[in-house]
Amino acid sequence: MNYLFPPLIPSVPIADSDSALAVHRVYCVGKNYVDHAREMGGDPSREPPCFFSKPADAVVHGREEIPFPGHTGKLHYEVELVVALGKGGRNVAVDDAADLILGYGVGIDLTRRDLQDDAKKAGRPWDVAKGFDNSAPLSAIHRVARTGILDRAEISLTVNGEIRQQGNIADMTWGVAEIIAELSTYFTLREGDLIFTGTPAGVGPLQVGDRVVATVEGIDQLAIRLV
């Protein structure tokens, strides 16, 4: 097939290697920490996870300066553990989920909160609130052992040096293996899929000039500045 313009494939480097992961899809989990569910006015009980997605080319790596998006007066940060899949599958059992994981990264789910609030009230999709350009800054992917389900690690975010979010992924309502298993009942998962696993409480607004540093203990640190 001849393309008028060769398709650009978004990719993320794999740490300590010369390889990169071609991004297939970006899945996200909403309200996956009890404290954040309460913060957003939701029910913190263990109900089925809320999945949504971002386009693959919303992922941005290796650029500290991120353009402040238009059409929002309330841009929010959300630090997240990101799972990168090296294999795919459908109807994956929880006990088999580890076999699909290539590694982990640190991500920031940037959200036009005012547009999301409007969409919720009107019963509309969240696309313009969640899937805009550069809305998924991401660190390099760090490989894990074959059985490396990460179930405990401090997660935090600072804005201009001030701590805004702090928690532990052990507090996720749905753990990594459970997320993969449940997601695989809705979609056929594939190599290159990324899963943003949710954020702890403390989400808040950003302004032009703010420097944001997101950290997951033992994985990586990601720094961006809004310009």
mmCIF file of all heavy atoms in Angstrom, residues 138-162:
data_model
loop_
_atom_site.group_PDB
_atom_site.id
_atom_site.type_symbol
_atom_site.label_atom_id
_atom_site.label_comp_id
_atom_site.label_asym_id
_atom_site.label_seq_id
_atom_site.Cartn_x
_atom_site.Cartn_y
_atom_site.Cartn_z
ATOM 1 N N LEU A 138 4.655 11.082 29.381
ATOM 2 C CA LEU A 138 5.036 9.753 29.859
ATOM 3 C C LEU A 138 6.546 9.619 29.928
ATOM 4 O O LEU A 138 7.263 10.082 29.032
ATOM 5 C CB LEU A 138 4.454 8.688 28.922
ATOM 6 C CG LEU A 138 4.725 7.216 29.233
ATOM 7 C CD1 LEU A 138 4.138 6.826 30.581
ATOM 8 C CD2 LEU A 138 4.153 6.327 28.132
ATOM 9 N N SER A 139 7.026 8.974 30.978
ATOM 10 C CA SER A 139 8.451 8.660 31.111
ATOM 11 C C SER A 139 8.813 7.501 30.196
ATOM 12 O O SER A 139 7.956 6.935 29.509
ATOM 13 C CB SER A 139 8.758 8.274 32.561
ATOM 14 O OG SER A 139 8.233 6.975 32.860
ATOM 15 N N ALA A 140 10.085 7.114 30.201
ATOM 16 C CA ALA A 140 10.492 5.877 29.540
ATOM 17 C C ALA A 140 9.827 4.690 30.236
ATOM 18 O O ALA A 140 9.379 4.776 31.388
ATOM 19 C CB ALA A 140 12.008 5.733 29.586
ATOM 20 N N ILE A 141 9.763 3.575 29.521
ATOM 21 C CA ILE A 141 9.212 2.337 30.080
ATOM 22 C C ILE A 141 10.347 1.527 30.701
ATOM 23 O O ILE A 141 11.386 1.312 30.073
ATOM 24 C CB ILE A 141 8.518 1.500 28.987
ATOM 25 C CG1 ILE A 141 7.375 2.300 28.353
ATOM 26 C CG2 ILE A 141 8.020 0.181 29.563
ATOM 27 C CD1 ILE A 141 6.314 2.759 29.321
ATOM 28 N N HIS A 142 10.135 1.084 31.919
ATOM 29 C CA HIS A 142 11.152 0.309 32.639
ATOM 30 C C HIS A 142 10.691 -1.141 32.734
ATOM 31 O O HIS A 142 9.620 -1.434 33.273
ATOM 32 C CB HIS A 142 11.384 0.902 34.032
ATOM 33 C CG HIS A 142 11.968 2.282 33.983
ATOM 34 N ND1 HIS A 142 13.305 2.530 34.197
ATOM 35 C CD2 HIS A 142 11.389 3.475 33.688
ATOM 36 C CE1 HIS A 142 13.530 3.834 34.072
ATOM 37 N NE2 HIS A 142 12.387 4.421 33.769
ATOM 38 N N ARG A 143 11.493 -2.024 32.192
ATOM 39 C CA ARG A 143 11.140 -3.447 32.167
ATOM 40 C C ARG A 143 11.037 -4.016 33.579
ATOM 41 O O ARG A 143 11.692 -3.534 34.511
ATOM 42 C CB ARG A 143 12.200 -4.250 31.396
ATOM 43 C CG ARG A 143 12.228 -3.965 29.901
ATOM 44 C CD ARG A 143 13.276 -4.857 29.241
ATOM 45 N NE ARG A 143 13.411 -4.623 27.816
ATOM 46 C CZ ARG A 143 12.682 -5.242 26.889
ATOM 47 N NH1 ARG A 143 11.768 -6.129 27.253
ATOM 48 N NH2 ARG A 143 12.868 -4.987 25.604
ATOM 49 N N VAL A 144 10.233 -5.060 33.707
ATOM 50 C CA VAL A 144 10.091 -5.764 34.976
ATOM 51 C C VAL A 144 10.291 -7.247 34.736
ATOM 52 O O VAL A 144 10.255 -7.725 33.604
ATOM 53 C CB VAL A 144 8.700 -5.538 35.606
ATOM 54 C CG1 VAL A 144 8.519 -4.094 35.993
ATOM 55 C CG2 VAL A 144 7.600 -5.984 34.654
ATOM 56 N N ALA A 145 10.487 -7.960 35.826
ATOM 57 C CA ALA A 145 10.589 -9.415 35.725
ATOM 58 C C ALA A 145 9.272 -9.985 35.219
ATOM 59 O O ALA A 145 8.215 -9.357 35.307
ATOM 60 C CB ALA A 145 10.929 -10.012 37.092
ATOM 61 N N ARG A 146 9.333 -11.190 34.685
ATOM 62 C CA ARG A 146 8.152 -11.823 34.074
ATOM 63 C C ARG A 146 6.965 -11.852 35.021
ATOM 64 O O ARG A 146 5.818 -11.692 34.603
ATOM 65 C CB ARG A 146 8.529 -13.246 33.635
ATOM 66 C CG ARG A 146 7.390 -14.004 32.950
ATOM 67 C CD ARG A 146 7.872 -15.361 32.478
ATOM 68 N NE ARG A 146 6.785 -16.152 31.934
ATOM 69 C CZ ARG A 146 6.307 -16.035 30.709
ATOM 70 N NH1 ARG A 146 6.815 -15.130 29.903
ATOM 71 N NH2 ARG A 146 5.326 -16.802 30.277
ATOM 72 N N THR A 147 7.224 -12.041 36.296
ATOM 73 C CA THR A 147 6.131 -12.116 37.265
ATOM 74 C C THR A 147 5.995 -10.810 38.036
ATOM 75 O O THR A 147 5.471 -10.791 39.143
ATOM 76 C CB THR A 147 6.376 -13.275 38.257
ATOM 77 O OG1 THR A 147 7.651 -13.083 38.891
ATOM 78 C CG2 THR A 147 6.350 -14.599 37.549
ATOM 79 N N GLY A 148 6.450 -9.721 37.452
ATOM 80 C CA GLY A 148 6.532 -8.462 38.174
ATOM 81 C C GLY A 148 5.257 -7.659 38.238
ATOM 82 O O GLY A 148 5.131 -6.616 37.606
ATOM 83 N N ILE A 149 4.283 -8.116 38.989
ATOM 84 C CA ILE A 149 3.095 -7.304 39.248
ATOM 85 C C ILE A 149 3.460 -6.308 40.341
ATOM 86 O O ILE A 149 3.804 -6.683 41.456
ATOM 87 C CB ILE A 149 1.905 -8.166 39.700
ATOM 88 C CG1 ILE A 149 1.372 -9.012 38.535
ATOM 89 C CG2 ILE A 149 0.804 -7.290 40.268
ATOM 90 C CD1 ILE A 149 0.680 -8.201 37.455
ATOM 91 N N LEU A 150 3.404 -5.031 39.998
ATOM 92 C CA LEU A 150 3.721 -3.991 40.970
ATOM 93 C C LEU A 150 2.474 -3.721 41.800
ATOM 94 O O LEU A 150 1.432 -3.314 41.272
ATOM 95 C CB LEU A 150 4.164 -2.724 40.226
ATOM 96 C CG LEU A 150 4.755 -1.602 41.071
ATOM 97 C CD1 LEU A 150 6.037 -2.057 41.755
ATOM 98 C CD2 LEU A 150 5.041 -0.375 40.195
ATOM 99 N N ASP A 151 2.564 -3.968 43.108
ATOM 100 C CA ASP A 151 1.378 -3.802 43.943
ATOM 101 C C ASP A 151 1.591 -2.842 45.103
ATOM 102 O O ASP A 151 0.669 -2.565 45.863
ATOM 103 C CB ASP A 151 0.882 -5.152 44.472
ATOM 104 C CG ASP A 151 1.956 -5.907 45.247
ATOM 105 O OD1 ASP A 151 3.036 -5.335 45.516
ATOM 106 O OD2 ASP A 151 1.716 -7.078 45.577
ATOM 107 N N ARG A 152 2.810 -2.299 45.220
ATOM 108 C CA ARG A 152 3.081 -1.327 46.289
ATOM 109 C C ARG A 152 4.201 -0.403 45.854
ATOM 110 O O ARG A 152 5.296 -0.860 45.519
ATOM 111 C CB ARG A 152 3.443 -2.045 47.598
ATOM 112 C CG ARG A 152 3.750 -1.104 48.762
ATOM 113 C CD ARG A 152 3.903 -1.861 50.065
ATOM 114 N NE ARG A 152 2.649 -2.472 50.478
ATOM 115 C CZ ARG A 152 1.681 -1.842 51.137
ATOM 116 N NH1 ARG A 152 1.842 -0.567 51.480
ATOM 117 N NH2 ARG A 152 0.583 -2.467 51.467
ATOM 118 N N ALA A 153 3.957 0.891 45.845
ATOM 119 C CA ALA A 153 4.973 1.897 45.531
ATOM 120 C C ALA A 153 4.382 3.267 45.827
ATOM 121 O O ALA A 153 3.211 3.531 45.544
ATOM 122 C CB ALA A 153 5.405 1.814 44.066
ATOM 123 N N GLU A 154 5.188 4.137 46.415
ATOM 124 C CA GLU A 154 4.744 5.503 46.652
ATOM 125 C C GLU A 154 4.555 6.213 45.313
ATOM 126 O O GLU A 154 5.335 6.017 44.373
ATOM 127 C CB GLU A 154 5.763 6.262 47.502
ATOM 128 C CG GLU A 154 5.915 5.737 48.922
ATOM 129 C CD GLU A 154 4.679 5.973 49.775
ATOM 130 O OE1 GLU A 154 4.018 7.025 49.572
ATOM 131 O OE2 GLU A 154 4.368 5.124 50.623
ATOM 132 N N ILE A 155 3.512 7.035 45.227
ATOM 133 C CA ILE A 155 3.236 7.811 44.024
ATOM 134 C C ILE A 155 2.966 9.246 44.456
ATOM 135 O O ILE A 155 2.256 9.486 45.433
ATOM 136 C CB ILE A 155 2.052 7.201 43.240
ATOM 137 C CG1 ILE A 155 1.791 7.967 41.943
ATOM 138 C CG2 ILE A 155 0.797 7.102 44.089
ATOM 139 C CD1 ILE A 155 0.794 7.274 41.011
ATOM 140 N N SER A 156 3.579 10.215 43.745
ATOM 141 C CA SER A 156 3.454 11.597 44.198
ATOM 142 C C SER A 156 3.601 12.559 43.036
ATOM 143 O O SER A 156 4.095 12.206 41.957
ATOM 144 C CB SER A 156 4.510 11.914 45.269
ATOM 145 O OG SER A 156 5.815 11.790 44.731
ATOM 146 N N LEU A 157 3.172 13.805 43.281
ATOM 147 C CA LEU A 157 3.303 14.858 42.276
ATOM 148 C C LEU A 157 3.497 16.186 42.988
ATOM 149 O O LEU A 157 2.841 16.475 44.002
ATOM 150 C CB LEU A 157 2.053 14.911 41.390
ATOM 151 C CG LEU A 157 2.039 15.956 40.280
ATOM 152 C CD1 LEU A 157 1.383 15.398 39.012
ATOM 153 C CD2 LEU A 157 1.288 17.223 40.738
ATOM 154 N N THR A 158 4.426 16.993 42.463
ATOM 155 C CA THR A 158 4.639 18.336 42.979
ATOM 156 C C THR A 158 4.388 19.352 41.877
ATOM 157 O O THR A 158 4.562 19.070 40.698
ATOM 158 C CB THR A 158 6.072 18.526 43.515
ATOM 159 O OG1 THR A 158 7.015 18.400 42.432
ATOM 160 C CG2 THR A 158 6.403 17.506 44.589
ATOM 161 N N VAL A 159 3.976 20.544 42.276
ATOM 162 C CA VAL A 159 3.840 21.681 41.367
ATOM 163 C C VAL A 159 4.690 22.811 41.928
ATOM 164 O O VAL A 159 4.474 23.256 43.064
ATOM 165 C CB VAL A 159 2.372 22.128 41.225
ATOM 166 C CG1 VAL A 159 2.271 23.351 40.301
ATOM 167 C CG2 VAL A 159 1.516 21.000 40.683
ATOM 168 N N ASN A 160 5.691 23.217 41.163
ATOM 169 C CA ASN A 160 6.625 24.255 41.592
ATOM 170 C C ASN A 160 7.255 23.927 42.953
ATOM 171 O O ASN A 160 7.446 24.795 43.806
ATOM 172 C CB ASN A 160 5.937 25.622 41.634
ATOM 173 C CG ASN A 160 5.357 26.009 40.291
ATOM 174 O OD1 ASN A 160 5.935 25.712 39.243
ATOM 175 N ND2 ASN A 160 4.213 26.666 40.296
ATOM 176 N N GLY A 161 7.541 22.624 43.136
ATOM 177 C CA GLY A 161 8.205 22.167 44.357
ATOM 178 C C GLY A 161 7.280 21.882 45.522
ATOM 179 O O GLY A 161 7.723 21.378 46.557
ATOM 180 N N GLU A 162 6.002 22.169 45.384
ATOM 181 C CA GLU A 162 5.035 21.937 46.463
ATOM 182 C C GLU A 162 4.299 20.624 46.220
ATOM 183 O O GLU A 162 3.753 20.402 45.145
ATOM 184 C CB GLU A 162 4.035 23.088 46.522
ATOM 185 C CG GLU A 162 2.966 22.923 47.596
ATOM 186 C CD GLU A 162 1.948 24.048 47.582
ATOM 187 O OE1 GLU A 162 2.199 25.075 46.924
ATOM 188 O OE2 GLU A 162 0.873 23.881 48.209
#
